[in-house]
Amino acid sequence: EVQLVESGGGLVQPGRSLRLSCTTSGFTFGDYAMNWVRQAPGKGLEWVGFIRARAYGGTTRYAASVKDRFTISRDDSKSIASLQMNSLKTEDTAVYYCTRVRYINGLIDAFDMWGQGTLVTVSS
Amino acid sequence: DIQMTQSPSSLSASVGDRVTITCQASQHITKFVNWYQQKPGKAPKLLVYDASNLETGVPSRFSGSGSGTDFTFTINSLQPEDIATYHCQQYDTLPITFGQGTRLDIK
């Protein structure tokens, strides 16, 4: 059974840092891109960024709202994806979901598996 | 950025009804649209990918269609367990963007 479990959320003051982890099991982690999506309270879904599989360069892409503050990394030996969040702002308050990203014909396709989410609250 | 205009933002329908949700992209995106279902307090779940392909295990009452800029998601014969918010998503061009969601409840 495929599982993605986020951890590391909590209350943090503006300007501080937080690191989220996504521990996975049940699939060959290295074959997939991994991705983060967030959802502010009562709002819609917002793409945060992804990291490609190593076979596709392991490169990262980010939304403009988090670029230069957030960093996505992966440890294929442990099947873990991480989201390092620096210089946090109150508007970063959201539930953060880790997702698996499927490739079709070498191109990123759908977010086919999701974790349960972890809440990050940025407040003084 | 590509804007995904989803409508309606909410709707109420009866069990057995046919429900249609639309998403209009601000520019041509071929077929690169996915649809997700999010039940209250839960993570989203992929239902339809590449505009019209049903994800494995998803009931056949769900379907998607469209190409270019106009996309449609349909539930034939609404069931009580379909109460959820539905989101469209484009992945033609970065940044990946979502519609604002459609909240569906039972009359």
Side-chain angles (χ1 to χ4, degrees), chain B:
Chain B
D1 298 3
I2 296 176
Q3 307 302 317
M4 298 296 285
T5 302
Q6 187 172 342
S7 62
S9 56
S10 65
L11 78 133
S12 191
S14 300
V15 172
D17 281 356
R18 183 181 189 188
V19 170
T20 298
I21 299 168
T22 64
C23 244
Q24 184 170 59
S26 59
Q27 62 191 71
H28 192 278
I29 55 172
T30 318
K31 63 169 185 174
F32 299 124
V33 168
N34 301 321
W35 292 91
Y36 299 86
Q37 175 194 63
Q38 185 177 25
K39 294 187 176 181
K42 300 294 186 183
K45 173 187 174 183
L46 175 66
L47 297 185
V48 171
Y49 65 96
D50 293 354
S52 60
N53 295 295
L54 202 62
E55 182 71 352
T56 302
V58 174
S60 59
R61 64 180 181 275
F62 296 100
S63 65
S65 64
S67 66
T69 60
D70 295 304
F71 300 87
T72 299
F73 175 79
T74 300
I75 308 173
N76 281 304
S77 189
L78 184 69
Q79 298 300 303
E81 60 266 32
D82 300 335
I83 299 310
T85 298
Y86 293 85
H87 307 271
C88 64
Q89 172 215 20
Q90 70 80 22
Y91 60 101
D92 178 271
T93 304
L94 294 180
I96 293 168
T97 50
F98 291 87
Q100 72 270 33
T102 295
R103 184 172 175 172
L104 172 61
D105 60 38
I106 299 285
K107 254 184 215 172

